[in-house]
Structure formats: C-alpha cells, structure tokens
Amino acid sequence: MGLVQIRQLRAIALDLALLAGHLLLYPTGLRQERPPAPPPPGAAACLPTGGRARRPVLLLHGFIDNRSVFVPLRRSLGRHGRLHIEALNYSPLLCDLRTAAALLGRHVEEVCARTGHGQVDVIGHSLGGLIARYYVQRLGGDARVHTLVTLGTPHSGTRIAPLLSAHPLVRQMCPDSEVITELRQPAPDCRTRFIAFWSDVDQLMIPAETARIDHPDVISQNIRVNGIGHLALAVHSSVAVRIREALDAADEAPTDASGTVSVA
C-alpha cells in the first residue's frame, strides 16, 4: 500500500470518528438559531463598529447537515476575539441553491441592521460555501460580505455528485450544472475576498482541486490542507487556526491580493 493510500485511509478513519461524534450533536442544531434580542429604540448597536472592531461572522453548513457541525470552530473563533458569531440553517428540502442564497442575503441584512456593522464575514462548509458564493457573485452580496471562507466547496463542480443526484441540490453541484455555469460568468468589480480551503484527501471533491476557486474577476486565495478529510475541514483544530489567521490577514491585505498558500 502506497503512502497516498495510507493517508487517504487515515483521513477516512478520522472523518468516520468525527461523524460519530457529530451525530451526537446533530439534534442540538436542528432548530434555527435565535438571534440576540435587539437593543431598545434609540440605544447604541450591540457591537462596536469603529476602529479595529471585528465584523460579525456567519456560518453556513453543508448538505444534509446543520449548524451543530460548527461547534468547535465557533468556540475557537469566540476565544480569539470574534464577538458575534451566528449560524444559519437551511432546509435540505430546498430544491434550488439560489433560494438558500436569497435566504442568506436576507439574514445578512438582518444581522447588519441588528449589529450596526455594514459588512460581515461568512464561512461556508461544502455546499454552504457554494450558496454563499452565489449570493456574493450573483445577488449583489459583495456589498455586504467582506471575506468569504469556503471549506471543501465544489467551486468547479464535483464529479461524485451524480452518484447522489436524486436531490436537486446535489445536481447543482455537478460540473455542468446551471449554477456552476453561472458562477463561471464574469463578476466585474466583485469586492468580496475569497479564501478557499481544499484538501488533498477530500473524498467528496473529485478532483480534489475542484475545491479551489479560480476566477479572473475575484480576489482569491487557495489554501491547501494535507491529510484532512471533507467533514474534518469544518471541525479540525488546525484548520480553525488557519481560518482565524486567514480572516485576520484579509483585514490587512492590499485590495489586489491573490495567490495560493500551502498548509502542511
């Protein structure tokens, strides 16, 4: 057995172990998260918005999942200065990714109005990242989303999707879907920063490089993660550290920055 196969088996074993733990948490994330109570009329926004105050962070889960997958990442972000973190559930019964993107847009507007911030950062796992990208590129979300972090998202479409193509959302993740075709179209003056984490052993991204974002009109950074499977991207502590670093770096980077970074 070669080294590549051994690393893939280790990644699968880790994903299975994490899946077992996630199944225990899954019921806790079935309900939509309740937002904090709004401030009284005339009161100041509940979050600082000046100087180096950090933007709210919105978390968007993958297919047939819910916000419970982000429990470890949420704790990590909260311990390191992110004062406002929310997770949005969307129904797996939705038949069109675009509907979920519009739902995200309404939630972003509500968060901005409630917190007093003009922009948010979004972190999307798998399909969640594709939903957020559609909102940014096709629904004008680049005015509200400063940085979009995607974790194992099929930006170019994944070839494993046809195996599960009974569900319309899965079909929209195929390389030749209308959604993927729309996302390949020009996106002039797109203001959002894209940071795409992709894994060399992601079992659901075929090929693995489909989780990279490659679009001439967007400010993008691709971060390779070695030896960590699809589910683990959302919960692994080392990835959480890299996400925090990427968000912090996005605040400091020049507006024309793009490139590729490898993460061991």
Side-chain angles (χ1 to χ4, degrees):
M1 184 178 295
L3 180 60
V4 173
Q5 288 80 6
I6 292 175
R7 294 175 67 244
Q8 289 175 335
L9 288 175
R10 287 177 178 173
I12 292 172
L14 177 59
D15 263 3
L16 290 175
L18 291 172
L19 177 61
H22 180 40
L23 289 176
L24 297 176
L25 287 175
Y26 192 89
T28 68
L30 289 173
R31 289 186 177 184
Q32 196 69 266
E33 183 171 293
R34 292 184 178 180
C46 61
L47 286 181
T49 59
R52 294 181 57 81
R54 290 174 168 174
R55 291 171 295 277
V57 177
L58 301 186
L59 308 172
L60 198 59
H61 62 81
F63 181 64
I64 314 182
D65 208 340
N66 63 42
R67 59 188 175 86
S68 63
V69 73
F70 289 117
V71 168
L73 175 59
R74 189 170 191 158
R75 289 174 179 168
S76 177
L77 293 172
R79 285 195 301 264
H80 291 82
R82 301 286 167 175
L83 300 178
H84 190 103
I85 306 168
E86 292 189 22
L88 177 64
N89 279 354
Y90 60 89
S91 172
L93 300 179
L94 287 173
C95 294
D96 194 337
L97 178 154
R98 303 170 185 88
T99 302
L103 172 65
L104 172 62
R106 292 193 294 272
H107 190 70
V108 168
E109 292 297 326
E110 190 274 330
V111 169
C112 288
R114 174 159 35 86
T115 64
H117 278 262
Q119 289 187 309
V120 300
D121 293 328
V122 178
I123 302 173
H125 179 226
S126 194
L127 175 62
L130 205 61
I131 291 170
R133 182 181 171 189
Y134 192 92
Y135 164 60
V136 165
Q137 278 189 227
R138 306 295 296 173
L139 301 181
D142 63 312
R144 288 297 196 188
V145 178
H146 180 276
T147 302
L148 170 57
V149 176
T150 65
L151 309 171
T153 289
H155 288 291
S156 301
T158 175
R159 300 188 184 282
I160 199 172
L163 301 178
L164 305 170
S165 60
H167 198 291
L169 286 180
V170 175
R171 291 198 295 272
Q172 290 183 328
M173 290 188 283
C174 296
D176 58 350
S177 74
E178 291 183 1
V179 166
I180 298 299
T181 299
E182 286 185 58
L183 292 176
R184 292 192 185 107
Q185 294 177 5
D189 304 318
C190 183
R191 291 160 284 187
T192 297
R193 244 175 234 292
F194 291 81
I195 302 172
F197 284 78
W198 66 285
S199 171
D200 61 338
V201 292
D202 190 328
Q203 305 87 359
L204 298 185
M205 297 297 105
I206 298 177
E209 290 79 9
T210 194
R212 295 166 50 92
I213 183 167
D214 183 16
H215 193 293
D217 293 335
V218 303
I219 305 165
S220 62
Q221 182 182 26
N222 293 296
I223 300 181
R224 172 173 171 163
V225 179
N226 296 323
I228 295 178
H230 187 76
L231 178 61
L233 284 170
V235 300
H236 201 284
S237 59
S238 66
V239 178
V241 171
R242 300 295 183 178
I243 292 172
R244 296 198 317 261
E245 292 174 347
L247 287 175
D248 291 342
D251 291 338
E252 305 295 336
T255 57
D256 61 348
S258 63
T260 301
V261 176
S262 292
V263 178

